Amino acid sequence: MKIGLDVLGGDYAPESNILGAIAAQKTLKDDQRLVLFGDQEDTVERLKQAGANPDDFDFIHAPDAISMHEHPTKAISQKPNSSIAKGFVLLKNGDIDSFASAGNTGAMLVGAVFSVKTIPGVLRPAIATNVPKLKSGFGLLLDVGANADCKPEMLNQFAILGSLYTQHIYGIQDPKVGLLNIGEEEEKGNNLTISTYPLLKENDKINFIGNAEGRDLFTDLADVYVCDGFTGNVVLKLAESFYVVTLKKGMKDDFFDRFNYEQYGGSPILGVNAPVIIGHGISSPEAIKNMVLLSRNMIESQVVDKIRSAFN
Amino acid sequence: MKIGLDVLGGDYAPESNILGAIAAQKTLKDDQRLVLFGDQEDTVERLKQAGANPDDFDFIHAPDAISMHEHPTKAISQKPNSSIAKGFVLLKNGDIDSFASAGNTGAMLVGAVFSVKTIPGVLRPAIATNVPKLKSGFGLLLDVGANADCKPEMLNQFAILGSLYTQHIYGIQDPKVGLLNIGEEEEKGNNLTISTYPLLKENDKINFIGNAEGRDLFTDLADVYVCDGFTGNVVLKLAESFYVVTLKKGMKDDFFDRFNYEQYGGSPILGVNAPVIIGHGISSPEAIKNMVLLSRNMIESQVVDKIRSAFN
């Protein structure tokens, strides 16, 4: 197993990424190799300085970084030696089994779709994020930004993607799917959700429990919440800002702790032909470490194969 | 001045409404009368039991209640003796200067649009809600549910409605308007926000400051946040659920306190020809009191006239 990690992506790269990689590597088995994409010489030097043995890692020399504000498509095509572009070349060729980066989200999405491609039958990949539940554990919210405008058929597929992910990564059997909406009744909503409801209701690949409102997101009502990428992104960023407020105010609480992005490492792009994970821009070493472990989990669980089978 | 209040609307009606009315009445001047819509005999009896003098109030006998789950249009037309239907008849005739209810939101919206009508030039009224700012004070978010699907021109008008409201009700001069969106840059967003941005940019009746993300909602970035009613409703209910979590966990904080709907009493319907306020379904006496005081404030500030002038 080869787990690809971008050393240059994220606000605290490369330091944070190197430290995270070292921490992750310690938990890997012998046949699980971490492949680091970045300036090879610099990376080796930093590993040594941090007391790690470079022999424990594989390296792909990719000295260019794609910054947060670069245009995704242009950057991928104009920077073939960037860590993200190289990562997707190797992922496409099967030289690595997953690729993760805390860098430019758009570049990660474009790279994934252009290299390993969308799974046949999937209309559009979605970015999924963890949603902490009040009692314990996590739910999943998707899409949170890959598709600002969605069609009902896309949301219906997100439900399948999210169900398979929560089943194989979180171990939730028969995960409950809720449609994020603005009313409990079937006829409530906007054009998109009103048209999506009957599709979800008749989708025998999922366990649809009906509409969920904003207030239900952290309850046990559902395990998977589907929505368009605009709504999901607003919700995600609002929830993050609440978490930041509780942090700043020194409010320690088990529920709020589970908002900590560091714990889950990153957000998977679901619906593409390989495990691809996008980390938070401010990823700490702990977050990077957990992004690597999530990558391993996605490879081991063969969740991408399960998704492919479902859409076959 | 005559302030109309629905005694029968809300989960804790009529008890809560009566107590709120009594508290509000104590702060009214001699020429400010509270007009109570409900079962007159029962209302008088309850006022007496609570130690209030019925002579301090006006009454309109309207014994029927429209429940939370009734179909708005049907209920308004089939229950002419309901407190909400009667309220709008008197509002239309100028017998009261404002009408407020913690009852069925849809019925309030339908009642307002069918009776006092949408202000000429306004495409669609919007429901606005307070958004507490981290430092102090409030911003405004609209629409939060009147229009699940919006056109760019509607959002552009919401910006004007919200600006006039925050200016005349909150006393914010030249209020900053932010477009709730999923990226900072002008070209980011979904079809709706991408098309709305240039309209806001060229709207010389507002002080547009650009896009705002979910994480910006509680900051000082803007005073007025505009979005479609679907997004706004999801955001509102999510924010409320956070507040409930902090309450349940016993977290006392000045910022969280300002989420308390009781403090601001209700959400105005902006863009109709009279002050109309919708209270929270679980309105306490304190919330009802503040809904009455907000009604007075909307009448005194002549904010509806200001809106009418802006669209003239």
Side-chain angles (χ1 to χ4, degrees):
Chain A
M1 179 194 298
K2 297 214 171 190
I3 303 167
L5 175 67
D6 176 8
V7 172
L8 303 180
D11 297 349
Y12 304 129
E15 297 83 356
S16 182
N17 305 31
I18 301 276
L19 295 177
I22 292 170
Q25 192 278 329
K26 287 176 182 162
T27 76
L28 298 181
K29 295 175 194 145
D30 288 345
D31 62 341
Q32 300 173 338
R33 297 283 291 182
L34 198 39
V35 184
L36 304 180
F37 292 77
D39 184 301
Q40 183 166 352
E41 201 175 319
D42 182 68
T43 304
V44 167
E45 189 53 42
R46 286 174 185 272
L47 284 169
K48 283 181 187 166
Q49 278 175 12
N53 181 357
D55 293 343
D56 292 336
F57 301 84
D58 289 351
F59 303 92
I60 298 295
H61 185 56
D64 294 345
I66 294 177
S67 75
M68 288 299 189
H69 290 287
E70 283 187 75
H71 187 280
T73 317
K74 278 187 198 164
I76 287 278
S77 63
Q78 291 171 359
K79 287 187 169 178
N81 288 320
S82 64
S83 49
I84 290 180
K86 282 261 185 189
F88 282 113
V89 169
L90 270 80
L91 189 65
K92 183 186 179 187
N93 294 340
D95 296 325
I96 53 176
D97 300 298
S98 66
F99 185 60
S101 170
N104 186 310
T105 297
M108 286 295 287
L109 192 60
V110 167
V113 170
F114 283 6
S115 65
V116 295
K117 306 265 195 274
T118 303
I119 288 172
V122 172
L123 294 166
R124 288 278 315 199
I127 301 175
T129 195
N130 273 6
V131 176
K133 290 185 183 182
L134 266 164
K135 288 186 184 165
S136 68
F138 293 96
L140 193 76
L141 175 69
L142 76 168
D143 174 33
V144 295
N147 313 280
D149 291 285
C150 288
K151 294 183 194 305
E153 294 75 19
M154 289 163 65
L155 264 61
N156 192 30
Q157 292 195 341
F158 296 167
I160 300 172
L161 296 174
S163 294
L164 289 168
Y165 186 83
T166 49
Q167 187 185 334
H168 294 287
I169 301 299
Y170 298 170
I172 301 174
Q173 291 313 307
D174 204 24
K176 293 175 287 184
V177 174
L179 173 63
L180 191 58
N181 208 337
I182 57 169
E184 293 169 16
E185 302 86 352
E186 177 165 354
E187 70 278 9
K188 290 285 179 72
N190 61 8
N191 291 336
L192 174 63
T193 56
I194 290 171
S195 303
T196 301
Y197 194 104
L199 301 183
L200 293 170
K201 204 173 164 182
E202 297 190 1
N203 185 340
D204 57 15
K205 289 179 177 164
I206 60 164
N207 175 17
F208 180 52
I209 55 91
N211 289 329
E213 297 190 87
R215 68 166 67 98
D216 300 318
L217 203 60
F218 305 114
T219 69
D220 287 327
L221 183 69
D223 303 299
V224 178
Y225 296 91
V226 294
C227 63
D228 65 271
F230 182 89
T231 305
N233 192 270
V234 169
V235 163
L236 170 64
K237 288 179 178 164
L238 180 67
E240 278 185 356
S241 76
F242 264 105
Y243 170 62
V244 171
V245 168
T246 62
L247 271 189
K248 282 188 182 159
K249 293 184 180 290
M251 292 171 167
K252 284 296 291 178
D253 179 88
D254 177 60
F255 170 60
F256 293 132
D257 285 350
R258 272 179 284 123
F259 275 90
N260 187 348
Y261 73 96
E262 292 184 330
Q263 290 196 0
Y264 52 86
S267 299
I269 301 178
L270 300 180
V272 293
N273 278 303
V276 177
I277 297 171
I278 304 170
H280 202 296
I282 54 167
S283 281
S284 64
E286 179 73 10
I288 297 287
K289 178 188 121 186
N290 284 322
M291 185 159 69
V292 172
L293 300 186
L294 177 57
S295 300
R296 177 176 66 177
N297 200 355
M298 285 186 73
I299 300 168
E300 284 183 333
S301 66
Q302 300 180 300
V303 64
V304 172
D305 289 334
K306 315 283 186 194
I307 292 173
R308 233 180 334 244
S309 299
F311 284 91
N312 201 339
Chain B
M1 178 193 302
K2 298 215 171 191
I3 303 168
L5 174 68
D6 176 10
V7 172
L8 304 180
D11 297 349
Y12 305 130
E15 297 83 356
S16 184
N17 304 32
I18 300 275
L19 295 176
I22 293 170
Q25 193 278 330
K26 287 177 182 159
T27 74
L28 298 182
K29 294 173 196 147
D30 288 345
D31 62 342
Q32 301 172 338
R33 295 284 290 184
L34 198 40
V35 184
L36 303 180
F37 291 77
D39 184 301
Q40 183 165 351
E41 200 175 319
D42 181 69
T43 304
V44 167
E45 188 55 38
R46 287 173 186 273
L47 285 169
K48 284 182 187 165
Q49 277 175 13
N53 182 356
D55 293 344
D56 292 336
F57 300 84
D58 289 350
F59 303 91
I60 299 295
H61 186 55
D64 294 346
I66 294 177
S67 75
M68 288 301 190
H69 291 286
E70 282 188 76
H71 188 281
T73 316
K74 278 188 199 163
I76 288 278
S77 63
Q78 293 172 357
K79 288 189 169 176
N81 289 320
S82 65
S83 49
I84 291 181
K86 282 260 185 188
F88 282 113
V89 169
L90 269 79
L91 189 64
K92 184 186 177 185
N93 294 341
D95 296 325
I96 53 175
D97 299 298
S98 67
F99 185 60
S101 170
N104 186 310
T105 298
M108 285 296 287
L109 192 60
V110 167
V113 170
F114 283 7
S115 65
V116 293
K117 306 266 193 280
T118 303
I119 289 171
V122 172
L123 294 166
R124 289 277 317 196
I127 301 174
T129 195
N130 272 6
V131 176
K133 291 185 181 182
L134 267 164
K135 287 185 184 164
S136 68
F138 293 95
L140 194 75
L141 174 69
L142 74 168
D143 176 33
V144 295
N147 312 279
D149 291 285
C150 288
K151 294 183 194 307
E153 294 75 19
M154 289 162 65
L155 265 61
N156 192 31
Q157 292 195 341
F158 295 167
I160 300 172
L161 296 174
S163 294
L164 289 168
Y165 186 82
T166 50
Q167 187 185 331
H168 294 286
I169 302 298
Y170 299 170
I172 301 174
Q173 292 311 309
D174 205 23
K176 295 176 285 185
V177 174
L179 174 62
L180 191 59
N181 208 337
I182 59 168
E184 295 169 15
E185 303 87 352
E186 178 166 354
E187 70 276 9
K188 290 286 178 73
N190 59 8
N191 291 336
L192 173 64
T193 57
I194 289 172
S195 302
T196 301
Y197 194 104
L199 301 184
L200 292 171
K201 203 173 166 182
E202 297 190 1
N203 184 341
D204 57 14
K205 289 180 178 165
I206 59 164
N207 175 16
F208 181 53
I209 56 91
N211 289 330
E213 297 189 89
R215 67 166 67 97
D216 301 317
L217 202 60
F218 305 112
T219 68
D220 286 327
L221 183 68
D223 303 299
V224 178
Y225 296 92
V226 294
C227 62
D228 65 271
F230 183 89
T231 306
N233 192 270
V234 169
V235 162
L236 169 64
K237 288 180 178 164
L238 180 66
E240 277 185 356
S241 76
F242 265 104
Y243 170 63
V244 171
V245 169
T246 62
L247 271 190
K248 282 189 182 161
K249 292 184 181 290
M251 293 169 165
K252 284 296 291 177
D253 179 88
D254 177 59
F255 170 60
F256 294 131
D257 285 349
R258 271 179 284 123
F259 275 90
N260 188 348
Y261 74 95
E262 291 184 331
Q263 291 196 0
Y264 54 85
S267 300
I269 301 178
L270 300 180
V272 293
N273 277 304
V276 177
I277 298 171
I278 304 170
H280 202 296
I282 55 168
S283 282
S284 64
E286 179 74 8
I288 297 286
K289 179 189 119 185
N290 284 321
M291 185 159 70
V292 171
L293 300 185
L294 176 58
S295 300
R296 177 176 66 177
N297 199 355
M298 285 187 73
I299 300 168
E300 283 183 334
S301 66
Q302 300 179 300
V303 62
V304 172
D305 289 333
K306 315 283 186 193
I307 291 173
R308 236 182 328 248
S309 298
F311 284 91
N312 200 340

